[in-house]
Amino acid sequence: MSIVSTIKPLVIKALKELYPGDPKSADSLPDRFREDDLTVSITKPEFEGDYTLVLFSFVKQLKKSPEQLGKEIGELLLKNNPELFTSYNVIKGFLNLVIADRYWLDFLQSNYSNRSPGVRPSVNKTIIVEYSSPNTNKPLHLGHLRNNFLGWSVAEILKVTGHKVIKTAIMNDRGIHICKSMVAWQRFGNGATPDSTGIKGDHFVGDYYVLFGTELKKEVETLMATGTTKDEAEKNAPLMQAAQKMLVDWENGDPEVRALWEKMNGWVYEGFNETYKKIGSDFDKNYFESSTYLMGKEIVEEGLAKNVFFKKEDGSVWIDLTSDGLDEKLVLRKDGTSVYITQDLGLADKKYEEFHYYQSFHVIADEQNYHMKVLKLILKKLQKPYADGIYHLSYGLVELPTGRMKTREGTVVDADEIIEELIKVAKDKTEELGKVKDFNPGELIELYDTIALGALKFFLLRVDPKKRMLFNPEESIDFHGFTGPFVQYTHARIKSILRKEIAGVSRQSAVGSSQPAVSSPLLPKEKELIVLLEQYESILGQALEEHNPSVVAIYAFNVAKVFNAFYTEHSVMSAESEEKKVLRLKLSELTANVIAASMALLGVKVPERM
RNA sequence: GGCCUCGUAGUACAAUGGAUAGUAUAAGAGCCUCCGAAGCUCCAGAUGCAGGUUCGAUUCCCGCCGAGGCUACCA
């Protein structure tokens, strides 16, 4: 039970007691005062108090001045709950409440050693989180990383709040883009392989995709020199013709093409798996477009039967969404082959068959907002029971100072490269500081990974997913301030104190089960920290509601920052008294646990030492 | 053209309609004989423009300006 959800009912009770209203009129209805209408928030530091009730919303209703209202409510709250509130003050329309130290100390006492704070009991609901979903013709880049970290983190937030989560990916493993790499390798590869060249599989294949582009450009230029238009040239260039033919051959099941396709996709998967392992992404189930792309045709039949879809003269099948403010949308081509949305319709159906999900999250970039809107709308019109549970977890693109990343223009930040770069920075910095000279090589490598990925994940998750974000290679790699390593450092720092205390004999008596004493009041920095730690549960609730890990990242940073300020001002080991020492040790332990728990939700490990 | 996002210090990010708009970086001034300086303290600096609703607007509504995306019988 959080402090805010404790205060709200008490305020409602006080309001009803103070202003029962005329029993005969409408203003005595039981829901005249509702918790949802209350605004209870943390008191601004420049005022006295811990939590503040905003009074303006009742002023008109009750026809009283805010000052008088605040006074009346404050008095009654104090009278009714002397153990919770110690005093109040009213400034303008704000009722500032001072919470008793006892409350905070009790909270500390019952939570300080909880290693998994915020975990909720099972609600027995299955939620699918579909994320990552790469094309198998090129390596992962920064945009994929944002997607992966988001999907993974949201899944984690759902898990601790009691949901059963199935993580899935859909591999976009077929199509013209795959054929381009294949054609290029056939023409220019001379039988080279990732093994023979020592290049990671996904990069190896990606190189041929890029090569296709550059070679195609040459052909196009040659054709254009003979007077062909650009569009014509691109269509008629021999390489493009070859890719198109390969796509047809692939669809017809040509054994040679299929064998080549499997070989090259195999290389890519090997590369992907290495990267996934490194960044900690995992999936309960992979779907492959090559085996799902024909699905959905049944749904098209179903839609025609239900008159949700209609057939045009040429045989193509459409849905009319103009009454919903959208366009007509094609769901089946005139040649009877399926389009993107057809596959997604089929896949949604299949997933529901398999998992009977309560909700299905699709972590997909906001470029596809329209597509996902249409998808959900079609499923609704088909009266699919799962349609309402479809949720597009839309996120903005990662941009560079030069603008959008484009593979063909070589302006992508490669996932493997940026990770390696960060590992190097972590290594240099760690060596420079020289605090872990006794680590063995294995421990060091693990630590560098922890710090590097901590920096990267934190950087990509600290921003509201919906928003576009900027990645500046020069400035974004930083281990100071609002960063993962800063939070990690704070954790390691606390652990260092706790280790020393364990080493000392006083550990048992100091951090034992005794209640923290109340003989001396909580000091401002102590209180600020404990009040913040108490908010963890509601932060988790907010992150869940908004499907937004950035809430957790910002919170973790604040905890670390407030702890560091507390730490600078007050000594833990040489506290003024034994009871203060006990209090601060518990406070430190709780801080470390909350930091570890929140960072875990982001997929960021926190080291004991760094 | 139509539809959808987004405009906050030099830069990057915050702010369920609430108090003097927070934080980080970069710039300036300090703090390691004392629990870890990847830290702390101080100092400066911002809501694109113009209206409206409200006791109160960064937030909601309208217009303009600017940025991005979608608007494929590509996926």
Side-chain angles (χ1 to χ4, degrees):
Chain A
M1 191 76 149
S2 74
I3 181 70
V4 173
S5 52
T6 303
I7 293 174
K8 282 189 175 182
L10 297 176
V11 173
I12 297 290
K13 186 165 167 282
L15 281 168
K16 285 182 176 167
E17 218 173 304
L18 283 167
Y19 317 107
D22 180 354
K24 293 189 198 80
S25 79
D27 55 279
S28 68
L29 292 173
D31 63 343
R32 186 160 68 118
F33 303 111
R34 296 182 317 157
E35 284 185 36
D36 289 350
D37 299 331
L38 294 181
T39 305
V40 176
S41 52
I42 194 104
T43 303
K44 302 256 171 194
E46 57 268 32
F47 302 102
E48 194 201 340
D50 299 320
Y51 276 88
T52 295
L53 174 69
V54 182
L55 300 163
F56 296 107
S57 43
F58 300 105
V59 169
K60 199 176 274 177
Q61 185 185 354
L62 299 171
K63 301 188 178 68
K64 298 218 175 204
S65 74
E67 288 77 9
Q68 196 189 350
L69 202 56
K71 205 160 172 259
E72 288 176 5
I73 298 171
E75 284 296 338
L76 191 60
L77 282 176
L78 235 66
K79 182 168 154 270
N80 288 349
N81 317 280
E83 75 297 334
L84 184 60
F85 303 110
T86 54
S87 70
Y88 76 93
N89 62 81
V90 182
I91 297 170
K92 293 200 271 181
F94 301 91
L95 170 61
N96 301 322
L97 297 162
V98 180
I99 313 290
D101 280 1
R102 186 74 261 164
Y103 177 88
W104 303 118
L105 293 167
D106 285 348
F107 164 77
L108 178 62
Q109 180 57 28
S110 45
N111 290 283
Y112 77 93
S113 60
N114 184 0
R115 308 279 288 193
S116 44
V119 176
R120 298 188 196 171
S122 170
V123 293
N124 203 22
K125 282 177 176 166
T126 300
I127 297 181
I128 294 191
V129 178
E130 179 192 273
Y131 71 108
S132 199
S133 307
N135 292 344
T136 60
N137 65 329
K138 52 177 188 247
L140 304 178
H141 58 65
L142 201 54
H144 293 112
L145 291 180
R146 189 176 196 194
N147 181 309
N148 272 273
F149 297 159
L150 250 179
W152 199 91
S153 178
V154 167
E156 220 49 35
I157 290 168
L158 288 168
K159 276 192 210 166
V160 304
T161 48
H163 303 85
K164 184 174 185 323
V165 178
I166 312 273
K167 289 186 273 190
T168 69
I170 167 88
M171 299 291 173
N172 301 312
D173 63 344
R174 62 160 283 279
I176 190 70
H177 50 295
I178 313 288
C179 292
K180 288 178 182 175
S181 306
M182 287 161 65
V183 166
W185 184 79
Q186 238 177 10
R187 296 275 173 97
F188 313 110
N190 296 318
T193 67
D195 277 343
S196 76
T197 55
I199 300 172
K200 193 162 163 282
D202 49 343
H203 289 262
F204 180 85
V205 172
D207 289 346
Y208 284 98
Y209 181 70
V210 173
L211 184 61
F212 180 94
T214 52
E215 291 297 326
L216 177 67
K217 202 174 166 195
K218 286 185 204 164
E219 290 187 355
V220 168
E221 275 164 8
T222 310
L223 282 172
M224 281 168 75
T226 65
T228 324
T229 67
K230 196 178 177 196
D231 284 354
E232 284 290 304
E234 275 173 357
K235 215 157 102 187
N236 296 330
L239 270 172
M240 190 56 93
Q241 293 281 319
Q244 292 289 359
K245 180 176 183 306
M246 191 173 271
L247 184 60
V248 173
D249 289 344
W250 183 91
E251 300 217 356
N252 292 332
D254 181 288
E256 263 181 57
V257 171
R258 286 286 178 139
L260 174 63
W261 172 73
E262 279 187 21
K263 179 162 74 178
M264 291 185 72
N265 270 353
W267 292 337
V268 172
Y269 292 136
E270 257 178 59
F272 280 177
N273 286 339
E274 205 178 300
T275 305
Y276 281 143
K277 197 175 167 204
K278 190 92 176 171
I279 65 177
S281 271
D282 57 347
F283 306 94
D284 299 301
K285 170 134 194 180
N286 286 328
Y287 290 92
F288 296 87
E289 197 194 309
S290 53
S291 52
T292 65
Y293 85 108
L294 293 174
M295 287 177 194
K297 290 196 184 181
E298 279 173 36
I299 294 201
V300 171
E301 292 303 320
E302 186 187 329
L304 281 168
K306 287 183 179 170
N307 279 324
V308 174
F309 299 157
F310 68 92
K311 200 173 254 186
K312 285 194 179 174
E313 283 173 8
D314 63 2
S316 58
V317 181
W318 297 72
I319 183 167
D320 183 1
L321 299 172
T322 47
S323 61
D324 297 276
L326 305 175
D327 300 326
E328 283 189 354
K329 186 85 187 169
L330 177 90
V331 292
L332 200 69
R333 294 191 189 105
K334 64 182 172 208
D335 62 5
T337 58
S338 54
V339 291
Y340 182 34
I341 195 118
T342 327
Q343 300 170 38
D344 273 5
L345 289 168
L347 186 57
D349 222 39
K350 181 173 165 61
K351 280 173 157 180
Y352 186 70
E353 238 170 67
E354 274 183 70
F355 298 111
H356 273 84
Y357 52 78
Y358 156 70
Q359 281 183 308
S360 178
F361 284 45
H362 299 252
V363 184
I364 307 177
D366 60 10
E367 300 168 294
Q368 298 200 29
N369 283 354
Y370 180 73
H371 172 80
M372 291 304 293
K373 199 172 166 184
V374 169
L375 178 70
K376 183 164 176 165
L377 191 57
I378 292 178
L379 290 169
K380 263 190 137 144
K381 287 186 182 290
L382 290 169
Q383 297 179 315
K384 294 292 180 185
Y386 51 84
D388 284 326
I390 303 264
Y391 179 79
H392 178 200
L393 184 45
S394 169
Y395 65 92
L397 263 62
V398 183
E399 287 181 4
L400 302 175
T402 50
R404 190 175 170 170
M405 292 191 280
K406 292 200 175 109
T407 306
R408 285 187 298 273
E409 293 172 18
T411 55
V412 285
V413 175
D414 179 77
D416 295 319
E417 272 175 31
I418 187 73
I419 291 167
E420 280 314 308
E421 210 173 307
L422 283 165
I423 287 173
K424 176 142 194 333
V425 178
K427 180 172 182 285
D428 291 348
K429 185 77 185 170
T430 304
E431 282 171 356
E432 182 193 322
L433 294 173
K435 288 171 184 167
V436 289
K437 285 181 176 155
D438 55 320
F439 274 29
N440 67 43
E443 290 170 329
L444 283 174
I445 286 174
E446 198 189 328
L447 178 63
Y448 302 151
D449 278 9
T450 298
I451 295 171
L453 283 164
L456 190 56
K457 289 184 181 183
F458 198 92
F459 180 82
L460 290 172
L461 288 175
R462 67 179 206 185
V463 180
D464 186 337
K466 290 191 292 291
K467 296 198 173 171
R468 263 179 281 150
M469 66 180 293
L470 188 95
F471 181 85
N472 184 335
E474 271 80 48
E475 293 171 16
S476 298
I477 301 177
D478 193 357
F479 292 176
H480 301 276
F482 187 14
T483 66
F486 169 83
V487 182
Q488 290 173 321
Y489 169 79
T490 307
H491 179 266
R493 194 183 209 189
I494 296 169
K495 286 294 177 175
S496 167
I497 303 170
L498 297 176
R499 263 195 309 275
K500 289 199 167 64
E501 194 51 31
I502 288 167
V505 277
S506 60
R507 166 78 177 171
Q508 276 308 315
S509 59
V511 199
S513 59
S514 67
Q515 292 271 319
V518 280
S519 56
S520 56
L522 284 172
L523 298 168
K525 293 281 182 204
E526 293 167 342
K527 190 156 173 180
E528 192 186 352
L529 182 57
I530 196 168
V531 168
L532 186 60
L533 292 167
E534 195 274 339
Q535 291 170 5
Y536 178 68
E537 261 189 64
S538 33
I539 290 292
L540 184 57
Q542 192 192 341
L544 173 70
E545 229 171 89
E546 298 175 9
H547 315 116
N548 182 359
S550 78
V551 172
V552 178
I554 292 167
Y555 174 77
F557 169 68
N558 281 330
V559 170
K561 198 160 67 73
V562 170
F563 179 86
N564 282 325
F566 153 82
Y567 173 90
T568 306
E569 192 160 317
H570 303 298
S571 176
V572 177
M573 309 290 275
S574 350
E576 309 87 279
S577 65
E578 188 63 19
E579 64 180 49
K580 276 292 181 197
K581 182 174 173 181
V582 173
L583 172 79
R584 287 175 195 165
L585 278 169
K586 290 181 176 176
L587 207 39
S588 303
E589 192 164 344
L590 181 61
T591 304
N593 288 340
V594 167
I595 285 179
S598 15
M599 295 296 267
L601 292 177
L602 307 176
V604 177
K605 293 178 191 155
V606 284
E608 297 285 310
R609 295 173 59 196
M610 65 187 278

